[in-house]
Amino acid sequence: MEAIPDQFMEFHPIHGLNVSLDLSGTRATRVESFANGVCFSKHPLKPGEIFLIEIEEKEVGWCGNLRVGLTSRDPGHLDVVPEYSIPDLTDSGDSWVFAITRNHNKVVEDPGDGGQRLGRGEPGEEAAEGYHNLKPQTFFTDSHLYIDNVRIPRDKLVGRSRPGRYSHILDDLYRTNALPPTARRSRIGVLYTQRGPGLADMHVVINGEDMGASAKGIPSIQPLHAVVDVFAATKCVRIVQVEYGFSSLQTLCRKAIQKHIVHRMAIDWLELPEAMKHYCKYE
């Protein structure tokens, strides 16, 4: 698929009662309770265009986490924003929302009925087709994520924990990016790919990995907005802008530097501005 022209992503000004947006419209915070945190993308998504967010704050004491998906409803025409994305939006049949959990977000095909189901940890599930290779294998991974005919720069997709002073001790752990999907700094995105005339498949991407088609055969004749439910233990999220065209000068410099270093902490020994060092280490 051809590169998608860069579009500055924002949250729609119509949102749940308990949501507060910052002035840029890119950070959504649930100010109280655990519900009424439903948000939408300001503009409909194009095929293959990802709506990517990072979890910035968590709140203890609640069960459940972030929910993401798509809706064919126009947020601007909603009389009342539903309290919950699941089931209030999904029961209407024009919205498809995926609940993010700490584990088992991968969608696996069920050969028995030709359908699909979410991973739940049943015996033998790891051997199911498409369920292997759940984590990126290296710190310096492929430059792009491929989903069907969609090509997305992977650079911004991967969320990483913030290294500390002695983080070189955990460098191997950092390389495998063992960041739980529901943790702070985890990055989660939603997009759709064209399946046929007027139909699409919804994909959820967690820290640079496609979880599979979590909804198939979605009608795509009407515009599709992204849905982000800042629910329960998820307190605040912010939008991460993805570069689809030419890489920025910062990104090109980072790629060049990564080719010539042994491990991430070696960047500290280079004569570079501190801001550039942090950028190269994904801090």
Side-chain angles (χ1 to χ4, degrees), residues 221-243:
I221 298 177
Q222 293 181 306
L224 294 171
H225 286 77
V227 178
V228 176
D229 191 351
V230 188
F231 180 71
T234 304
K235 175 75 171 177
C236 176
V237 300
R238 71 172 178 91
I239 298 174
V240 179
Q241 308 295 334
V242 178
E243 301 169 350

Side-chain angles (χ1 to χ4, degrees), residues 67-89:
R67 298 166 173 181
V68 298
L70 299 170
T71 182
S72 60
R73 296 191 191 186
D74 183 346
H77 293 163
L78 289 176
D79 295 329
V80 178
V81 176
E83 185 176 6
Y84 305 99
S85 59
I86 304 174
D88 295 355
L89 274 177

Side-chain angles (χ1 to χ4, degrees), residues 90-265:
T90 55
D91 278 357
S92 64
D94 55 8
S95 302
W96 304 266
V97 181
F98 189 97
I100 305 300
T101 64
R102 184 179 174 87
N103 302 294
H104 312 309
N105 293 293
K106 191 78 172 183
V107 176
V108 293
E109 300 293 331
D110 189 344
D113 58 9
Q116 58 188 27
R117 57 189 172 83
L118 302 185
R120 296 301 181 201
E122 293 92 338
E125 187 173 76
E126 292 79 1
E129 182 180 357
Y131 192 78
H132 60 285
N133 192 28
L134 295 187
K135 294 179 180 178
Q137 296 302 305
T138 60
F139 175 62
F140 306 117
T141 184
D142 294 338
S143 61
H144 288 79
L145 172 67
Y146 294 88
I147 303 175
D148 295 338
N149 63 336
V150 174
R151 181 173 179 264
I152 308 173
R154 193 189 293 269
D155 187 55
K156 295 289 186 72
L157 300 181
V158 182
R160 303 181 188 277
S161 57
R162 185 177 295 279
R165 182 177 179 182
Y166 302 103
S167 59
H168 60 283
I169 299 174
L170 302 176
D171 204 59
D172 287 338
L173 178 63
Y174 189 87
R175 285 172 180 269
T176 59
N177 188 45
L179 192 62
T182 58
R184 289 182 64 252
R185 299 180 67 84
S186 182
R187 294 187 175 183
I188 299 165
V190 62
L191 71 148
Y192 70 92
T193 60
Q194 292 294 151
R195 186 177 183 184
L199 295 176
D201 291 345
M202 181 179 81
H203 288 256
V204 172
V205 176
I206 300 179
N207 290 322
E209 185 190 8
D210 174 26
M211 296 293 106
S214 51
K216 290 186 174 182
I218 295 174
S220 59
I221 298 177
Q222 293 181 306
L224 294 171
H225 286 77
V227 178
V228 176
D229 191 351
V230 188
F231 180 71
T234 304
K235 175 75 171 177
C236 176
V237 300
R238 71 172 178 91
I239 298 174
V240 179
Q241 308 295 334
V242 178
E243 301 169 350
Y244 290 93
F246 293 105
S247 298
S248 66
L249 181 58
Q250 279 185 317
T251 299
L252 292 175
C253 289
R254 175 164 63 191
K255 289 180 179 178
I257 292 169
Q258 288 175 342
K259 291 179 180 178
H260 296 88
I261 61 173
V262 178
H263 58 79
R264 178 177 53 83
M265 297 308 295

